[in-house]
Each structure stands twice: as structure tokens, then as C-alpha cells.
Amino acid sequence: MTRMLTVGAAQLGPIARDETRADVVPRLLTLLHEGAAAGCELVVFPELALTTFFPRWYTDDIAGHDHFYETDMPSDETRPLFDAARQLGVGFALGYAELTADGHRYNTTVLVERDGAIVGTYRKTHIPGHEDNEPWRDFQHLERRYFEESPEGFHVWAAFGGRIGIATCNDRRWPETYREMGLQGVEMILIGYNTPIHYPPDPSQDRLQGFHNHLVMQAGAYQNGTWVVGVAKGGTEEGVVSLAESSIIAPSGEIVAQAATDGDELVVAEADLDRCAHYKDTVFDFDRYRRPEMYSRITSQKGAVT
Ligand code: CDT
């Protein structure tokens, strides 16, 4: 059997600090239209796709960054994306900063079906970086100041003719991310990222950013028998160079399509969701081979105990 889902990884190049939704949404619409022309049913945009990566700047008063957050989805500014989805029959996933009515701040991704209806939202689980100003860094990574850790966990939705899950950037480095969704039968995981090449706490990792990016997503795909779509906001944004290399990864762990540039670029692959069963029903037949009674530390313990 084949169950084809043509998917587009809509990589973005930089968004400057002073650029607004009015500057960015037309770029997203261009990629959505390109996706439609390429036969895509689903187009995946990166993490925080509507603004510059604002956690690189410290503010005493967090409210000073409120203009980077969305209070409504859709809003007047993002509604054209939902309208285009309906008109083109192309769904999308879009990462953005969310400020809720009761004042919570999340790093959120919304999944929208081909009819323009919201399937669900995912709020980032693993929030990297730091809370306070660290002037010794070349640039800040203040996600822990500007976003809360979501208490909601990982979801898998019946959508696009399959089982679709979402993770966000740093989530992709943690094996629990994929397994939580693997245990819900996920067939395609959508992952947007903003990954600076330079990692100030340990610059020896800088040369490995591309390797680690693919290593974790390819392993997560293979070990859970799922497609993974990794989508970057890459290039040099406000002086910070970020990894591009968006890719679409098969349940075998193989990369089947990859970005060639570090700018706006649509990477397309025809994903046969039935290929997942090759792995889910054999070497990773969870029901037959997993030993959850041997894994109790995974949920009972946070740090290593030596
Ligand atoms: N956005 C995001 O999560 N970025 C991190 C950067 C490294 S941690 C400071 C990542 O894991 O790619």
C-alpha cells in the first residue's frame, strides 16, 4: 500500500529586527504558492517564523518585547495564510511566539489543515538557553526568559491522511520527544528550528552544528519509524549566523531532500506514510520488543545520579 503525502519544508532566510508581519507574511505566501505548484498538501514553516529571533536581545521588562508575540491566531496579519491554505488546498505548520490572554508566553506552532481549519497547536517543551543577561556572550539566547516550558507534552493528530506530530527546535535533540510521539503512532514529525552556528558555552560544538542537527533527526526518524521534516530559519540574521540545511527524512533515517541555500527555499518530497510500517512492524515493533518496566528512571528522575 502507499499513502502519499507531498510535503514542503519552507525554509526561511533572515528576518531583520525591524521587519514586520507585513514584510514576512508575503514571503510565507510565496512559499505556500510554490508548494501548491509543486503538489504539496502540507508546507512547514520554521520556529518563530513571523519575526526575527528576538530572544537574542535582553530586556529588563519582558513586556518590551510584546510586539514580537501573537495574541490571536489567526490575526488580521496572519489571516491571509489561512485564506490561501483554503483556496490552494495546502495546509501548513507555522511557528510563532504566543502571548495568551492570561499572560503566558509560549514558543508555539499551529497546524492548519488544507481547508484552513486549525488542527491543533503545540507549545515547545524543552526551552534552551538562559533566563538572565549574560553579557560575556557574543549574543544572548534568552528563550528561558521569554518562554515558559509547556506543561502539555507532545501530541499526535489524525490529519493529512496520517498521524502528524510537532516538535520545536531544541526538542529535536531529546530522544524522549520522538518516543513520546512514536508511542502515539506518529508518521510524520514537523520540526522548525533557529540554530545559531556559534554556541557560546562550548564553541567546540560550532563545527558540528550541521552534523548534530541531522544526527538527532535521522535517529529519531529511524528509531520510531516516522518521517521527520526539519525546517530552518537560516542565514545571517542581525549578525548571527544560523544553520540552514532543512531536510526531509524518511523512516529509514535517510535524508531524501535537503535545502541547497541558506535563504527562502522550498524543499519538497513525496512521503509515503505507509513506509513507516516497515519499521514499526519489524525492528521497532514496540509492543513486542520494548521493556518499559526497565525504563522507570526516564520519567522518575531528571538529572544523572552517579
Ligand atoms: N531555538 C532553539 O531551540 N535553538 C537551540 C540553540 C542551541 S541552545 C542555546 C537549538 O537547540 O538549536
Side-chain angles (χ1 to χ4, degrees), residues 204-305:
S204 74
Q205 297 179 29
D206 294 3
R207 70 176 183 85
L208 300 169
Q209 289 294 355
F211 168 63
H212 288 157
N213 178 50
H214 285 149
L215 175 73
V216 292
M217 293 195 295
Q218 291 181 256
Y222 168 63
Q223 292 172 340
N224 294 278
T226 181
W227 290 86
V228 171
V229 182
V231 191
K233 173 133 73 64
T236 304
E237 185 180 273
E238 298 292 349
V240 177
V241 184
S242 287
L243 184 71
E245 299 185 12
S246 300
S247 60
I248 299 174
I249 300 162
S252 61
E254 294 166 290
I255 295 173
V256 297
Q258 185 174 325
T261 73
D262 62 1
D264 290 13
E265 178 181 346
L266 188 75
V267 179
V268 177
E270 284 184 38
D272 178 3
L273 299 179
D274 278 331
R275 273 179 74 179
C276 299
H278 287 265
Y279 293 87
K280 291 182 190 294
D281 294 347
T282 60
V283 66
F284 295 117
D285 180 341
F286 288 173
D287 208 33
R288 184 169 186 189
Y289 297 120
R290 286 186 75 248
R291 300 287 314 281
E293 70 278 18
M294 296 291 116
Y295 313 148
S296 59
R297 287 184 189 82
I298 300 283
T299 53
S300 66
Q301 188 175 316
K302 191 167 180 182
V305 176

Side-chain angles (χ1 to χ4, degrees), residues 186-197:
V186 73
E187 294 176 316
M188 182 177 282
I189 300 178
L190 317 177
I191 306 178
Y193 59 89
N194 282 263
T195 296
I197 298 290

Side-chain angles (χ1 to χ4, degrees), residues 47-48 53 107 124 126-129 137 141 143 168-173 193-196 199 201 209:
E47 174 192 39
L48 300 178
F53 190 78
N107 188 336
K124 188 172 180 176
H126 301 95
I127 307 294
R137 292 174 180 255
H141 197 106
E143 279 198 67
T168 303
C169 196
N170 191 261
D171 287 331
R172 77 194 188 287
R173 302 188 192 274
Y193 59 89
N194 282 263
T195 296
Y199 183 54
Q209 289 294 355

Side-chain angles (χ1 to χ4, degrees), residues 39-205:
C40 292
E41 293 169 84
L42 171 59
V43 166
V44 185
F45 297 109
E47 174 192 39
L48 300 178
L50 293 169
T51 66
T52 198
F53 190 78
F54 63 88
R56 70 169 65 94
W57 292 291
Y58 177 80
T59 53
D60 269 336
D61 179 13
I62 292 176
H65 273 9
D66 276 0
H67 58 290
F68 290 122
Y69 292 78
E70 311 302 311
T71 52
D72 297 299
M73 187 54 67
S75 62
D76 288 349
E77 289 153 315
T78 53
R79 198 177 310 281
L81 291 165
F82 289 72
D83 294 341
R86 193 172 53 253
Q87 285 154 14
L88 298 169
V90 182
F92 63 87
L94 174 73
Y96 60 98
E98 177 190 13
L99 176 55
T100 68
D102 53 354
H104 293 285
R105 295 168 191 272
Y106 296 110
N107 188 336
T108 299
T109 295
V110 64
L111 180 64
V112 177
E113 256 289 7
R114 293 156 285 191
D115 61 359
I118 290 178
V119 176
T121 55
Y122 166 71
R123 291 164 170 163
K124 188 172 180 176
T125 302
H126 301 95
I127 307 294
H130 50 109
E131 292 83 359
D132 298 318
N133 199 19
E134 296 189 4
W136 60 269
R137 292 174 180 255
D138 293 343
F139 51 88
Q140 307 293 301
H141 197 106
L142 286 155
E143 279 198 67
R144 294 186 69 81
R145 183 171 190 81
Y146 297 120
F147 298 116
E148 293 168 47
E149 294 174 334
S150 166
E152 295 169 357
F154 295 97
H155 300 273
V156 172
W157 292 274
F160 297 92
R163 297 190 60 74
I164 309 295
I166 300 174
T168 303
C169 196
N170 191 261
D171 287 331
R172 77 194 188 287
R173 302 188 192 274
W174 300 91
E176 295 86 351
T177 294
Y178 305 89
R179 186 63 99 225
E180 273 291 308
M181 289 187 270
L183 286 167
Q184 298 171 68
V186 73
E187 294 176 316
M188 182 177 282
I189 300 178
L190 317 177
I191 306 178
Y193 59 89
N194 282 263
T195 296
I197 298 290
H198 179 48
Y199 183 54
D202 178 16
S204 74
Q205 297 179 29

